[in-house]
Amino acid sequence: MPALAAGESKTITGTFAVPVMTNGTYYVGGYADTYNWIEESNETNNALAGNQIGIGLVTPIANAGPDQTIECPITTEVSVALDGSHSYDPNGDPLTYTWSWGGGTASGVKPMITLPSGRTTITLTVNDGNGHTASDAVVVTVGDTIPPVTSASLIGVLGEDGWYKSDVTVILQAADACSHVKEVHYIVDNGEETVVTADSKSFSTNFVVSQEGEHTVTYWSVDNTGNGGTRITTQPINKHYTPPPPGGRGTGGSPGDGSSSAYYPSCVYVTLQVTEGVSQYSTDNGATWQPYTGAFAICDTTTVLYDNVEAPKTITINIDKTPPTITAIIYPPPNENGWYNTDVIVTFACTDDASGVAICPDPITVTTEGAGQTVSGTAYDFAGNSATTSVIINIDKTLPTITATVTPQPDANGWNSTDVTVSFTCSDNLSAFTPCPSPVTVTTEGAGQVITGTVTDQAGNIATASVTVNIDKSAPTISASINPVPNEAGWNNTDVTVSFDCADSGAGIAACTSPVTVTMEGQDQIITGRAIDKVGKTAEVPVTLNIDKTPPVITISGVEDGAVYTPCNVPVPSYSVTDSSSRVSSQNSTLTGGNANGTGAFIYTVTASDNAGNIITRSVYYKVEYSFGGFEAPVTLLKPFKQGSTVPVKLTIADGCENSISTAIVTLTLQLYSGETPVGDPIDATSNVPDSGNLFRYTDGHYIYNLSTGNLQSGSYVVSVTLDDGSTKTITLQIKP
């Protein structure tokens, strides 16, 4: 069997084979000697005797490019470049490109898209604009080999030399933008590992260390792909709760062995403590002695001498009854109104001419706002005497409040459709304020008009309030477009999409009617589009549609599809056409086929169209054949004929009305069979005189052919008689030696 390759044309008689090609839609076409084209829309073989045949690919080829593997950075998702540039159309038609995947779409030859980590299959579909499409897929794998990043911060009361004086809160912050943080791990000292479950790009957890001592915290994180952050060891955490020993000097007490001295603020009682009994004591440097019988009082600076049985001892006592002096110094100085608008530092200067200054207050920073705040400081000398001083502080660090009010209020989109008045309201809870700005009236249309007011309080704090005014007094515009556009008669024969284009030079469009696809058939269908701007003004546009997707109805009468008629009984074909919507615009009929004598195969075709452009064609196929009277003896006697004899083959044909047909062309061929299998090629019959060739002759109402068997071998033959009405009649003959 001859074969036909893609893009090849050749002349083939009989059956041919089309090779298996790339998946797609192919055409098989050819022409006969009369140059009438025949097309097939599939890949089936065609047996067109003597015709020129060709095949070709009409489907485009899609190529989505090679699979990709990309590493995900730690701080963002991945941008991926797709490439469909190796797609093409064998017919040279321009292609459109559509990419799709779970969760997204893109268009164009080389679009850039964003993908999360993991494996994503993306399908490319190309379209040649003629109803032919093809698809291909690419797999993009976004990997994640970078571990999370974990940091630690500490919260507590920090004391001297890096030690804390309170519980310490440890905050661990982990981040991974690709597969996300899965777990945060930490170990305190050599204790058990703690795992905190997470599932986010950024995750924070915390815990408290309260036990005193030096501690080490080890921490790390793991993401959802198993990457683990490096373990990090913190600096030691120092905690000490023990307060310093109580302060203060000159608090008094027993001099003990008589050699100690201290200052006392008043008269004191002295008790002498010795290992042995005390016999006497002196308070005037030994001028006089008193027997020691117990505690005794002294009220001035005195040296006490005492002795035991061996020798006298001495102790010195210092007394200071005058309080120290203290002065307050304020920084910074107040403004002319006696107010501060920052924090104020009060420092103290202290003196004492006797025992000296034991405690002078530390500077005090006043951060609290308020009027008439009293700040006091107290000084102590070594004897415990004290003095206090006070100052009055007025602090206002808070800006005055100023509020701008728009009248009338804008709508939900922030726009006004009329003139606007901006008024200001001012207040201050402490130092009071200067006058508020006067109202401002805005009449100009436009967006982003900023109106500002300023106010100052007695402490010098300045506050500003601004409002943005958007004014639009004009209505929007709207226009409509129809796709596809109607034909010249104002009709569409497909679904119609009406799109609307809205514009507004002021506030902008708040709503515009979405495209409307009309699928219902009918005349004078009204589709209305509406535009609404952001201040509520509207505009409308109506569109009238006439849609008829149904072709006319053709009714063929007289002849029936597939019927066989005899020459004297052939009906006359006729038709009628109706269309209930856009009405019939044109109609015609043709009768083709058949022979000059009125027999053969006929095609009756009717074509009609309506005003919407719908076209319909209907055909009826029928045949006109002779009325075959059958074969006559002797070939019907079912007995073999001797080789070399002449066998009369006789038959009759009529017009179906019992009228004999005498002008038909009738021919004869033979085919040798072995059982049910043909042997060799068909044989043209030879005849004795008066017959010649393989043509029957008509005599007395019969068609007769004298078949000579002299050149035929013995066996079983099928005699095929072909009539010029296109039909073939057969009968079997046996030839014996």
Side-chain angles (χ1 to χ4, degrees), residues 442-460:
V442 184
T443 61
T444 304
E445 286 187 275
Q449 302 181 70
V450 179
I451 309 300
T452 302
T454 301
V455 65
T456 304
D457 65 12
Q458 296 294 324

Side-chain angles (χ1 to χ4, degrees), residues 101-453:
W101 64 95
T105 61
S107 61
V109 181
K110 296 181 178 181
M112 292 292 294
I113 66 172
T114 300
L115 293 178
S117 61
R119 178 185 175 95
T120 303
T121 300
I122 303 171
T123 300
L124 168 63
T125 301
V126 296
N127 191 314
D128 65 0
N130 294 318
H132 305 124
T133 62
S135 298
D136 190 25
V138 60
V139 177
V140 178
T141 303
V142 178
D144 179 13
T145 62
I146 300 175
V149 174
T150 310
S151 61
S153 59
L154 308 176
I155 298 178
V157 180
L158 184 63
E160 298 290 333
D161 299 325
W163 285 76
Y164 286 87
K165 299 186 293 181
S166 67
D167 292 348
V168 173
T169 299
V170 181
I171 300 175
L172 300 180
Q173 184 74 36
D176 190 296
C178 289
S179 61
H180 297 184
V181 178
K182 179 183 179 183
E183 297 170 344
V184 177
H185 300 238
Y186 66 86
I187 301 173
V188 179
D189 297 325
N190 295 318
E192 294 183 356
E193 178 178 339
T194 300
V195 179
V196 181
T197 302
D199 189 12
S200 63
K201 293 182 180 179
S202 178
F203 179 77
S204 176
T205 186
N206 64 81
F207 58 93
V208 176
V209 179
S210 58
Q211 185 178 357
E212 293 184 80
E214 183 174 309
H215 302 280
T216 299
V217 176
T218 302
Y219 59 93
W220 69 98
S221 298
V222 177
D223 65 14
N224 280 294
T225 58
N227 300 310
T230 303
R231 296 187 178 190
I232 302 172
T233 302
T234 66
Q235 70 277 11
I237 301 172
N238 301 315
K239 293 169 30 45
H240 199 292
Y241 283 117
T242 306
R249 289 176 289 176
T251 58
S254 298
D257 59 4
S259 63
S260 299
S261 62
Y263 286 94
Y264 297 92
S266 61
C267 296
V268 296
Y269 284 88
V270 178
T271 299
L272 302 178
Q273 297 178 355
V274 294
T275 58
E276 298 178 11
V278 177
S279 59
Q280 56 185 356
Y281 67 94
S282 173
T283 60
D284 55 1
N285 203 24
T288 60
W289 291 83
Q290 305 292 333
Y292 179 73
T293 59
F296 57 92
I298 59 174
C299 295
D300 202 351
T301 300
T302 303
T303 299
V304 178
L305 302 178
Y306 65 96
D307 63 4
N308 54 19
V309 293
E310 290 89 9
K313 306 267 190 318
T314 63
I315 185 172
T316 300
I317 299 174
N318 301 310
I319 297 176
D320 180 6
K321 295 190 268 186
T322 303
T325 62
I326 180 170
T327 303
I329 303 169
I330 304 173
Y331 182 84
N335 66 10
E336 64 272 19
N337 299 315
W339 281 84
Y340 304 86
N341 61 10
T342 63
D343 294 344
V344 174
I345 300 175
V346 180
T347 59
F348 299 93
C350 305
T351 60
D352 188 274
D353 296 330
S355 60
V357 177
I359 298 176
C360 189
D362 292 330
I364 297 175
T365 300
V366 183
T367 61
T368 303
E369 294 180 275
Q373 300 181 78
T374 300
V375 178
S376 300
T378 300
Y380 294 89
D381 61 14
F382 284 102
N385 300 302
S386 64
T388 300
T389 187
S390 299
V391 292
I392 303 300
I393 304 295
N394 300 311
I395 300 178
D396 183 3
K397 297 185 289 184
T398 303
L399 302 181
T401 60
I402 179 170
T403 304
T405 303
V406 177
T407 305
Q409 285 291 307
D411 61 17
N413 297 310
W415 282 82
N416 290 85
S417 59
T418 62
D419 295 343
V420 170
T421 298
V422 180
S423 303
F424 298 95
T425 302
C426 306
S427 65
D428 191 279
N429 294 329
L430 285 176
S431 60
F433 58 88
T434 58
C436 250
S438 299
V440 177
T441 300
V442 184
T443 61
T444 304
E445 286 187 275
Q449 302 181 70
V450 179
I451 309 300
T452 302

Side-chain angles (χ1 to χ4, degrees), residues 646 686-693 697 705-708:
T646 296
T686 58
S687 176
N688 297 325
V689 178
D691 302 319
S692 63
R697 54 189 170 83
Y705 183 88
N706 289 319
L707 174 63
S708 173

